[in-house]
Amino acid sequence: MLPFLRSDLAQLVAYTPHPGGASGHEDSSTTASLAAIDRLDTNESPFDLPPALKQKLAWSYQQELEANRYPDGSHIQLKEAIATYANESAGLTTAPITRDHISIGNGSDELIRSVLIATCLGGEGAILVAQPTFSMYAILAQTLAIPVVKVGRSPDSFETDLTAAQSAMASTHNPAIRAVFVVHPNSPTGNPLTSAELNWLRSLPDHVLVVIDEAYFEFSQTTVAGELTQRPNWIVLRTFSKAFRLAAHRVGYAIAHPELIATLEKVRLPYNLPSTTQAAAAIALAHRQELLSTIPLLLAERQHLTEQLMAIAAFKVWPSAANFIFTQLQGSYGSETTLDSLFQQLKAQGTLLRKINSGFRITIGAPEENRRTLERFKQVLH
Ligand SMILES: *Cc1c(COP(=O)(O)O)cnc(C)c1O
């Protein structure tokens, strides 16, 4: 190891989302070299932007953007559009969310890192997560040498073990827990926060920040945005990477108390959002009805795939409030070897799944993709 590198980074495993990058073809010996790979491993929308919107974006690049100029580093117009959407989508008729409550990141991943920098860096705090959950919280904390305290969940409902969480809060010192990260609904398990979990979060003291990641809000339609004005120690994170079909452009946003937002703005890079990304997000918001109109189809597909998987004896399937399904193998199928073999066989046929927590997280794809997934499972398990 190079002697100038931080020794704790040697142990860190880098996050590798699509191992194959955009095409999914990382290794033609294990992945079928098919024209269409069904990429059901990263919870993107299966639907690209409609051609007319891509054309608008291309027009904006050609006619409006000056490639030689830095992008707008204040994001004012985009913040206003996001605030309007946040109020509207949470049914907040008095429009309590303003642009001062919004910070925009290069993906919500950037905001997670900004939150960590603003709260815990430099030995000031640890974070709490309930496993299994979105892996970026722990990964980004580790890159900043921030301790991560992990508690478990119920193996049946995946509700956080609140007794363990409460006792971790009380017994973690030097540094104490400064931030609690939850996903609503959770990834990879698909369960929204229960009222017991929400009440526990409400009971946390002012000096603990509660981060509620609503990456799948448009699918679940459950949000705590309406509570934010009463809770200066809560922050909601959202993304354009899932329901808004903009994963390529990297946009996420935070909604929180203006003082917390102002601090996130201090720690971010000045030009974190390329001009094309700002244009894409503005176009997506202006056409939100059209873009989000694919959600009912995806929810119907989720229902169908859930029922069909439940009909296969090998699978235990959990209900999901998001655009993916979590499933584990059960009975005589329930081993890591079988799981791994199934994973490899589906991959060889062109279906990429996420193997996690002794199970699969399966993104809801286009109807064709979901049909192929089912067929391939049935054929391989036969
Ligand atoms: C996909 C996802 C994100 C999105 O991150 P971006 O950086 O905005 O693409 C954030 N949180 C969770 C829980 C996710 O699943």
Side-chain angles (χ1 to χ4, degrees), residues 313-314 329-335:
L329 298 175
Q330 61 182 0
S332 58
Y333 297 93
S335 75

Side-chain angles (χ1 to χ4, degrees), residues 42-43 106-110 112 134 137 183 187 213 215-216 238-242 250-252:
T42 49
N43 297 345
N106 190 280
S108 45
D109 288 350
E110 184 194 12
I112 294 166
F134 187 49
Y137 311 130
V183 197
S187 174
D213 187 335
Y216 301 97
R238 302 254 187 90
T239 179
F240 282 75
S241 299
K242 308 286 159 63
R250 311 299 301 125
V251 202

Side-chain angles (χ1 to χ4, degrees), residues 254-312:
I255 319 171
H257 189 279
E259 193 178 325
L260 172 52
I261 290 298
T263 308
L264 296 180
E265 295 281 291
K266 285 182 202 173
V267 304
R268 71 168 168 83
L269 295 177
Y271 301 112
N272 63 332
L273 286 186
S275 301
T276 44
T277 288
Q278 296 189 43
I283 288 173
L285 280 171
H287 295 83
R288 55 188 176 275
Q289 255 187 318
E290 179 184 359
L291 285 181
L292 300 178
S293 69
T294 53
I295 291 176
L297 168 66
L298 291 171
L299 297 185
E301 284 291 306
R302 181 184 75 198
Q303 174 71 15
H304 182 68
L305 190 60
T306 301
E307 285 164 8
Q308 297 290 310
L309 287 172
M310 283 171 82
I312 302 174

